[in-house]
């Protein structure tokens, strides 16, 4: 389990008790431990360096009140890794460089105990390196923007990246074409080489043609209905004008003819006849299309002239739109099935979907040494390590550098040990000695160390917080051990004793109030 520090730099940290309870239930279930009622097992948890008391209090409350655990112990993951990798010849003091997914810690250890006052944290880790690599490759390959995901970037960091011993010198080497060809890595992105015109069978082509015909048929039928409705409205308008003449309303009839831009009743009758014929033909076409289920063609030329001068502009637009869509509604001519030759691609699709990793292999992990590469105003590992060492006398500095220990996920980068040795060589005095050690398993050694500590201290009271300690001293209480944080209890300010001068005004006020009550 990992209880992270609640700060703006951490991500995805559960702070709700309900969510924490669900996570612990899942963990206990995977471990085969029944969590109903109580968990009758001691618990060892890791927490962040200098974890706030409130965070520890919440976790202790959950474990003791909800799961009724007998005892619990808290420790730091990097210290557990240091504890697991200890050897007989190793000194008890050392400088731990723990670089993980979210942050990097520089932890000095003196005489087997953590010196919490001089611990330093760099808010950069594997997550920021993956985001930086994703941004670099998305700018380099904008055509594969969606395929360059964070999960693939983490895979590239784990399998292809390394830390340069001398960053500037390594960049100069990459300028050589021969060096680039020999050290450049290729990553293949997933792709499909199925071309639409080359691998379709005759049945698939026939099905696609039928789908296109159905879409054209629906579009043609909809346009016919719209045209029929518009023509019917025009015919009703003309018949209404004709009824005015039959009713003897001559003045209104002539006024309507002027609005329709017509000269006589004969011209009006001619337009009515032609429009009625067009409507009847359109109805027949609709009926025929429903019966035969065929795609009909809308004539590009109108069967009747524009009969509605009021809507002359709309009619011209309709005719123009029909002419524009004429190629879409052409009748389907039966064709003889011809063999389709395979379409040869003009370029290699597999090569197009490849990522060429050059200087990106060293630029992404370099941010833990040079945060300015991504615009962060922070010190890198070398500067922070030198700052921590300078806070000690020269004698203690010499002791600390004799055991520089590298752990955490970022310690798996090839070249990290050589880079730290180079930085120490530059900052240490001339002919001074130092030693850099790498964890045997930087990712799992924290768990192995916690296991070793739990087995060794199972029967001891050192480092274990019991239910009695929780009830008496609170949830924030911590029993220190070789891999734990330093416990700093909450000290409430004591109230100063009240002097005689301070008590005099209050006594005078009380006596005056008593006299007023007597008078009342």
């Amino acid at each position: 389990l990992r209880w992270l520090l609640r700060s703006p730099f951490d991500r995805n940290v559960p702070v709700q008790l309900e969510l924490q309870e669900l996570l612990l239930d899942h963990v206990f279930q995977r471990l085969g431990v029944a969590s109903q009622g109580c968990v009758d097992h001691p618990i060892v948890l890791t927490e962040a360096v200098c974890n706030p008391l409130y965070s520890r209090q919440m976790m202790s409350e959950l474990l003791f009140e909800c799961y009724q655990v007998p005892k619990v112990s808290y420790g730091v993951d990097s210290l557990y890794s240091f504890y697991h990798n200890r050897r007989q010849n190793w000194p008890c003091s050392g400088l731990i460089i723990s670089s993980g997914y979210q942050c990097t810690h520089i932890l000095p250890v003196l005489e087997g105990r953590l010196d919490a006052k001089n611990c330093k944290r760099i808010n950069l880790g594997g997550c920021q390196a993956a985001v930086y690599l994703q941004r670099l490759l998305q700018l380099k390959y904008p055509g594969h923007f969606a395929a360059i995901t964070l999960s693939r970037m983490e895979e590239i960091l784990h399998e292809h990246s390394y830390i340069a011993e001398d960053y500037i010198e390594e960049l100069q080497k990459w300028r050589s074409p021969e060096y680039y060809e020999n050290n450049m890595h290729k990553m293949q992105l997933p792709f499909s080489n199925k071309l639409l015109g080359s691998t379709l069978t005759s049945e698939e082509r026939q099905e696609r043609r039928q789908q296109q015909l159905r879409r054209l048929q629906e579009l043609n039928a909809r346009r016919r209905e719209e045209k029929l409705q518009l023509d019917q409205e025009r015919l009703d308008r003309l018949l209404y004008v004709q009824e005015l003449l039959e009713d003897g309303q001559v003045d209104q009839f002539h006024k309507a003819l002027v609005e329709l831009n017509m000269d006589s009743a004969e011209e009006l009758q001619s337009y009515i006849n032609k429009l009625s014929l067009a409507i009847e033909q359109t109805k027949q076409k609709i009926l025929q299309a429903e019966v035969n289920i065929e795609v009909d063609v809308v004539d590009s030329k109108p069967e009747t002239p524009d009969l509605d001068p009021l809507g002359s502009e709309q009619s011209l637009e309709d005719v123009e739109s029909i002419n524009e869509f004429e190629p879409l509604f052409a009748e389907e001519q039966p064709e003889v099935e011809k063999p389709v030759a395979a379409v040869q691609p003009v370029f290699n699709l597999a090569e197009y979907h490849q990522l060429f990793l050059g200087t990106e292999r060293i630029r992404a992990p370099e941010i833990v040494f040079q945060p300015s590469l991504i615009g962060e105003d922070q010190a890198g590992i070398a500067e922070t390590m030198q700052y921590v060492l300078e806070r000690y006398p020269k004698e203690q500095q010499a002791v600390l550098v004799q055991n520089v220990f590298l752990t955490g996920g970022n310690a798996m980068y090839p070249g990290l040990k050589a880079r730290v040795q180079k930085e120490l060589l530059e900052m240490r005095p001339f002919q001074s000695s130092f030693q850099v050690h790498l964890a045997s398993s930087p990712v799992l050694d924290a768990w192995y160390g916690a296991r070793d500590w739990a087995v060794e201290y199972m029967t001891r009271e050192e480092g274990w917080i019991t239910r009695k300690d929780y009830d008496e001293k609170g949830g924030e209480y911590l029993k220190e051990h070789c891999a734990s944080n330093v416990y700093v209890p909450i000290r409430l300010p004591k109230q100063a004793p009240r002097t005689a001068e301070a008590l005099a005004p209050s006594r005078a006020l009380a006596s005056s109030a008593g006299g007023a009550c007597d008078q009342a």
Side-chain angles (χ1 to χ4, degrees):
L1 301 176
R2 178 68 188 273
W3 182 251
L4 298 177
L5 178 65
R6 294 182 59 197
S7 71
F9 304 102
D10 289 317
R11 304 293 187 272
N12 303 325
V13 180
V15 294
Q16 298 180 358
L17 289 176
E18 295 81 2
L19 179 58
Q20 295 168 11
E21 184 178 353
L22 291 177
L23 293 175
L24 289 175
D25 287 339
H26 176 73
V27 172
F28 291 139
Q29 182 180 3
R30 295 295 298 270
L31 294 175
V33 178
S35 59
Q36 298 295 332
C38 67
V39 176
D40 192 16
H41 292 273
I43 304 295
V44 178
L45 297 99
T46 60
E47 60 180 4
V49 181
C50 303
N51 194 29
L53 299 180
Y54 176 73
S55 300
R56 188 182 304 119
Q57 178 184 1
M58 291 180 62
M59 181 56 69
S60 297
E61 179 181 353
L62 181 63
L63 292 175
F64 285 110
E65 300 293 346
C66 181
Y67 294 99
Q68 304 294 327
V69 297
K71 56 184 178 180
V72 64
S73 177
Y74 296 98
V76 181
D77 52 358
S78 53
L79 295 179
Y80 279 131
S81 179
F82 183 78
Y83 179 84
H84 176 70
N85 287 271
R86 61 181 179 175
R87 301 189 181 99
Q88 293 182 356
N89 298 329
W90 275 26
C92 297
S93 302
L95 189 66
I96 301 176
I97 301 176
S98 174
S99 184
Y101 188 71
Q102 288 286 354
C103 60
T104 301
H105 286 102
I106 309 296
L107 309 178
V109 178
L110 294 175
E111 300 298 331
R113 301 306 299 269
L114 175 67
D115 186 8
K117 294 183 179 179
N118 295 320
C119 294
K120 295 300 174 184
R121 167 176 172 160
I122 306 171
N123 300 308
L124 291 173
C127 176
Q128 289 77 14
V131 172
Y132 181 47
L133 180 60
Q134 182 188 32
R135 185 170 56 184
L136 290 176
L137 292 181
Q138 284 178 346
L139 291 175
K140 187 177 181 180
Y141 299 99
H144 306 310
F145 192 88
I148 302 176
T149 60
L150 279 178
S151 59
R152 288 198 175 98
M153 297 306 100
E154 292 178 359
E155 178 184 352
I156 291 176
L157 287 175
H158 295 161
E159 298 181 1
H160 303 280
S161 297
Y162 67 97
I163 292 180
E165 184 175 352
D166 190 326
Y167 183 68
I168 303 300
E169 183 180 352
E170 190 73 15
L171 289 179
Q172 294 297 329
K173 292 180 181 179
W174 279 97
R175 299 184 64 179
S176 173
E178 297 181 358
Y179 188 86
Y180 179 84
E181 292 295 333
N182 295 332
N183 294 275
M184 180 264 299
H185 289 189
K186 297 179 182 179
M187 181 178 181
Q188 184 67 56
L189 295 176
F191 71 98
S192 175
N193 56 0
K194 183 177 180 181
L195 298 178
L196 297 178
S198 61
T199 58
L200 294 178
T201 62
S202 59
E203 292 80 4
E204 292 177 348
R205 290 194 297 272
Q206 184 66 21
E207 179 64 24
R208 182 167 297 179
R209 186 180 296 110
Q210 293 296 332
Q211 292 178 0
Q212 294 175 354
L213 291 178
R214 284 193 293 269
R215 288 196 296 267
L216 290 175
Q217 178 184 358
E218 294 174 359
L219 179 61
N220 199 10
R222 186 165 58 251
R223 296 191 74 257
R224 280 203 189 96
E225 293 176 356
E226 293 176 356
K227 181 177 181 299
L228 178 62
Q229 182 179 2
L230 182 61
D231 291 343
Q232 188 66 41
E233 292 177 357
R234 293 175 179 174
L235 180 60
D236 294 340
R237 171 64 175 169
L238 296 177
L239 291 176
Y240 172 74
V241 175
Q242 191 178 32
E243 290 176 359
L244 293 177
L245 180 61
E246 294 176 356
D247 296 341
Q249 302 178 6
V250 180
D251 296 338
Q252 295 182 3
F253 173 73
H254 287 294
K255 187 181 296 184
L257 285 180
V258 173
E259 293 177 356
L260 295 174
N261 198 15
M262 294 183 183
D263 298 332
S264 62
E266 291 77 8
E267 185 178 359
L268 175 63
Q269 186 63 37
S270 175
Y271 274 90
I272 292 175
N273 295 336
K274 291 180 180 180
L275 188 56
S276 301
L277 180 61
I279 292 174
E280 188 65 26
Q281 291 178 354
T282 303
K283 291 181 179 180
Q284 293 178 0
K285 288 183 179 180
I286 293 177
L287 293 176
Q288 184 179 1
E290 293 178 354
V291 173
N292 298 330
I293 315 178
E294 295 178 353
V295 178
D296 295 329
V297 180
V298 178
D299 296 334
S300 60
K301 297 181 181 180
E303 299 179 8
T304 58
D306 189 6
L307 301 179
D308 190 358
L310 292 176
S312 59
E313 297 179 357
Q314 297 180 357
S315 302
L316 291 175
E317 292 178 357
D318 294 339
V319 174
E320 292 175 359
S321 62
I322 293 174
N323 295 332
E324 293 176 359
F325 287 95
E326 183 177 2
L328 298 176
F329 305 114
E331 294 182 357
E332 186 71 19
Q333 298 294 337
E335 297 180 357
V336 180
E337 197 71 28
K338 298 180 181 179
V340 180
V343 178
Q344 298 294 335
V346 295
F347 59 92
N348 189 347
L349 285 177
E351 185 177 351
Y352 174 73
H353 288 82
Q354 286 180 353
L355 301 180
F356 293 82
L357 305 175
T359 56
E360 294 84 8
R361 296 177 58 196
I362 62 173
R363 293 176 66 184
E366 183 65 21
I367 65 172
V368 295
F369 288 91
Q370 299 186 50
S372 59
L373 293 176
I374 59 175
E376 292 290 340
D377 187 14
Q378 300 184 49
I381 290 180
E383 292 84 353
T384 308
M385 184 168 50
Q386 183 178 6
Y387 176 79
V388 171
L389 290 175
E390 289 178 351
R391 298 175 67 88
Y392 295 95
K394 293 183 179 180
E395 294 77 10
Q396 289 185 344
Q397 292 184 21
V399 173
L400 291 174
V401 297
Q402 292 302 317
N403 187 15
V404 179
F405 181 70
L406 306 179
T407 186
N410 290 335
M412 300 179 66
Y413 284 128
L416 178 62
K417 182 177 179 180
R419 178 64 176 271
V420 174
Q421 289 175 344
K422 174 182 173 297
E423 299 292 347
L424 284 172
L425 184 63
E426 293 179 354
M427 71 177 66
R428 296 300 298 158
F430 179 64
Q431 292 185 346
S432 62
S433 62
F434 57 84
Q435 293 184 11
V436 180
H437 303 280
L438 182 64
S440 58
S441 179
V443 177
L444 298 177
D445 278 353
W447 186 87
Y448 291 141
R451 179 199 61 185
D452 297 343
W453 184 91
V455 172
E456 182 178 354
Y457 287 81
M458 182 62 68
T459 58
R460 305 183 189 178
E461 295 183 359
E462 179 183 357
W464 293 103
I465 305 172
T466 62
R467 180 59 188 257
K468 182 179 180 181
D469 296 330
Y470 168 76
D471 294 335
E472 293 179 355
K473 302 177 182 179
E476 70 278 0
Y477 176 66
L478 173 69
K479 275 190 177 181
E480 299 181 7
H481 55 88
C482 60
S484 71
N485 278 308
V486 177
Y487 176 55
V488 180
I490 299 177
R491 294 183 175 88
L492 298 177
K494 296 182 180 180
Q495 295 183 356
R498 302 181 67 178
T499 60
E501 292 79 2
L503 293 176
S506 60
R507 292 175 179 174
L509 180 61
S511 60
S512 61
C517 292
D518 295 339
Q519 293 177 3

